């Protein structure tokens, strides 16, 4: 006789029987049909377009793998992508608003540009959405403007400078000139290097702040050369770094002084002529890791979906960010933001997601991932080797050894009551 009862009758019958809740087949079906939505708000145009597209490739691979494994909490996953542009914070927040309020995403990912990442983080905190920052490095995201619901995969600028400063100071000298991109990312890197330089009794000979999307660095390089530095420290990214390195080699500066910096990207090295593959840097992830479990398979999987190209650090950022969404939901057994954020305190990435030596975990107290940093130098591809092998790793640095203590980051985590 129950075959003809509608949903309302079933609920009334349950209530009459003293059952507080009923697992209605209609409700279960609706929940199973809903997708878990992940919103990616990242540059697909402008200076950082190549980086943004690689993060998207990594994110999509993670989505495909998760769906093949049954999804998140039994629900399939959908990746929604918006172009934030490379430098407009208002556009990034507008796109985040669209993803959160119209598309009702469960997770928000982005941004590569540090200023955009911070603006998105502040917005996500207002809306109570779990926000993963794949590749925006400014320290404030997990520092003075940290939020309980915002987690970061890439390193802070201070982690990057701390990991490579000792090499530069011991190998090349203590008189440095800076050429720095004029926004939060560059400012953070320079502050970190200056702190290391001051601690070693070094000298800042000068520095230039250059606008995003600068194409001509000739005046900056000539000015830097005139100070007779031990090192010209380039704190740039994307197309800006490509343009500056090309011009430095054209002027022969690499024959007169040392060229170095903090963060370097495989996308940049692949955009340079062989003679411009110079300098010491830090990579946040590198694809050539012989003997590290699961890395070879990840490289093969990315090659299949990217026309044979190897993954970059950006590819891994996107991949790890989406996988983090699954880990958070499964650890919390919920898609409620507060429950997931609590479950992520100290959460360790399993080896098949970490894809690096040493432990990689989200530090409790500031929500910053503590991965391994890869310090080394740019190189021309070894003869007979893979043409994408453009970086020689000389040192591995643990993230929690490069990071400032939480007490020194300025993070004062305030949780909702």
């Amino acid at each position: 006789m129950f075959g003809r009862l509608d949903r309302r009758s079933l609920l009334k019958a349950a209530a009459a029987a003293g059952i507080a809740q009923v697992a209605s087949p209609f409700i279960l079906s609706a929940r199973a049909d809903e997708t878990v939505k992940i919103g990616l708000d990242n540059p697909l145009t402008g200076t950082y377009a190549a980086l943004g597209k690689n993060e998207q490739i990594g994110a999509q691979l993670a989505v495909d793998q998760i769906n093949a494994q049954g999804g998140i909490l039994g629900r399939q996953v959908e990746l929604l992508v918006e172009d934030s542009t490379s430098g407009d914070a208002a556009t990034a927040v507008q796109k985040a608003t669209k993803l959160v309020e119209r598309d009702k995403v469960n997770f928000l990912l982005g941004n590569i540009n540090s200023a955009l990442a911070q603006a998105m983080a502040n917005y996500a905190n207002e809306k109570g959405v779990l926000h993963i920052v794949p590749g925006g490095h400014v320290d404030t995201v997990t520092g003075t403007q940290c939020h309980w619901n915002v987690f970061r995969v890439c390193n802070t600028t201070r982690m990057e400078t701390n990991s490579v400063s000792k090499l530069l100071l011991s190998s090349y000298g203590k008189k440095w000139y800076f050429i720095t991109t004029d926004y939060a990312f560059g400012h953070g890197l320079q502050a970190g290097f200056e702190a290391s330089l001051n601690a070693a009794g070094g000298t800042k000979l000068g520095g230039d702040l250059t606008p995003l999307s600068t194409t001509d660095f000739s005046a900056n390089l000539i000015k830097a050369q005139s100070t007779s530095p031990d090192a010209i420290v380039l704190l740039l990214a994307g197309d800006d770094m490509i343009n500056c390195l090309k011009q430095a080699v054209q002027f022969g500066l690499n024959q007169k002084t040392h060229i170095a910096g903090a963060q370097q990207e495989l996308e940049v090295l692949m955009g340079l002529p062989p003679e411009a593959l110079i300098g010491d840097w830090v990579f946040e992830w590198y694809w050539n890791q012989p003997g590290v479990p699961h890395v070879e398979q990840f490289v093969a999987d990315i090659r299949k979906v990217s026309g044979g190209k190897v993954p970059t650090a950006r590819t891994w950022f996107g991949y790890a960010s989406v996988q983090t969404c699954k880990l958070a939901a499964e650890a919390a057994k919920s898609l409620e933001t507060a429950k997931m954020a609590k479950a992520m305190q100290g959460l360790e990435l399993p080896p098949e997601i970490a894809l690096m030596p040493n432990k990689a975990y989200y530090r409790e107290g500031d929500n910053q991932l503590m991965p391994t940093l890869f310090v080394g130098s740019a190189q021309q591809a070894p003869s007979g080797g893979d043409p994408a092998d453009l970086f020689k790793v000389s040192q591995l640095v643990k993230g929690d050894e490069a990071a400032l203590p939480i007490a020194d980051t300025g993070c004062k985590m305030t949780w909702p009551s």
Side-chain angles (χ1 to χ4, degrees), residues 25 32 41 43 54 133 171 205 237 244 265 270 282 290 324 336 347 403 410-411:
D41 182 4
N54 278 337
V133 178
S171 299
L205 298 175
C244 192
E265 311 265 14
M270 294 178 73
V282 58
T324 290
E336 293 182 32
L347 183 70
C411 176

Side-chain angles (χ1 to χ4, degrees), residues 58-318:
Q60 187 61 58
L61 176 64
V63 167
D64 293 342
Q65 290 181 351
I66 290 169
N67 283 337
Q69 296 162 1
I72 294 178
L73 300 178
R75 293 159 57 178
Q76 291 290 283
V77 182
E78 182 180 3
L79 183 66
L80 306 178
V81 181
E82 293 287 343
D83 181 8
S84 66
T85 75
S86 286
D88 188 348
T91 298
V93 172
Q94 179 186 23
K95 296 300 180 68
T97 302
K98 178 182 176 183
L99 289 166
V100 171
E101 298 185 15
R102 190 196 73 175
D103 297 326
K104 308 297 182 184
V105 296
N106 302 98
F107 302 91
L108 182 65
L109 273 54
N111 195 278
I112 285 171
N113 181 307
S114 287
L116 276 58
Q118 186 65 72
M120 287 175 59
N122 295 342
Y123 168 77
N125 184 248
E126 292 176 7
K127 297 299 179 180
V129 178
L130 195 74
H131 179 199
I132 311 294
V133 178
H137 299 79
V138 66
D139 294 60
T140 57
V141 168
T142 51
T144 56
Q145 295 185 56
C146 67
H147 298 299
W148 62 271
N149 62 312
V150 178
F151 295 77
R152 173 160 50 192
V153 171
C154 71
N155 298 293
T156 68
T157 57
R158 184 58 64 90
M159 290 168 70
E160 293 190 343
T161 58
N162 284 351
S163 67
V164 73
S165 289
K166 291 180 181 179
L167 172 65
L168 302 186
L169 289 165
S170 63
S171 299
Y172 305 111
K174 300 178 180 180
K175 297 185 297 179
W176 298 354
Y177 193 99
F178 296 93
I179 299 178
T180 304
T181 188
D182 189 11
Y183 78 103
F185 165 70
H187 299 170
L189 285 175
Q190 185 166 325
F193 267 135
E194 287 184 10
S196 297
L197 194 61
N198 291 338
T203 303
K204 174 187 173 182
L205 298 175
D208 293 341
L209 294 174
T210 60
L212 192 65
S213 301
T214 294
T215 56
D216 185 1
F217 290 89
S218 57
N220 311 105
L221 291 166
I222 291 170
K223 185 178 175 183
Q225 180 185 359
S226 70
T227 66
S228 300
D230 294 324
I232 298 176
V233 180
L234 305 182
L235 305 178
L236 309 166
D239 293 344
D240 293 8
M241 181 70 87
I242 292 174
N243 291 330
C244 192
L245 281 170
K246 284 181 178 179
Q247 291 163 32
V249 171
Q250 288 170 1
F251 296 157
L253 294 189
N254 56 311
Q255 304 299 324
K256 303 171 184 176
T257 187
H258 192 71
I259 306 294
Q263 176 189 329
Q264 187 55 285
E265 311 265 14
L266 186 57
E267 290 89 347
V268 168
L269 298 187
M270 294 178 73
L272 291 169
E275 63 272 15
L277 292 166
I278 58 174
D280 291 294
W281 319 90
V282 58
F283 264 49
E284 297 181 86
W285 185 87
Y286 195 57
W287 67 272
N288 191 3
Q289 299 183 56
V292 177
H294 308 288
V295 173
E296 185 176 349
Q297 183 61 54
F298 177 69
V299 172
D301 290 341
I302 290 295
R303 283 188 186 272
K304 289 179 182 177
V305 298
S306 62
K309 296 179 181 179
V310 300
T312 70
R314 295 292 171 176
T315 319
W316 179 76
F317 288 165

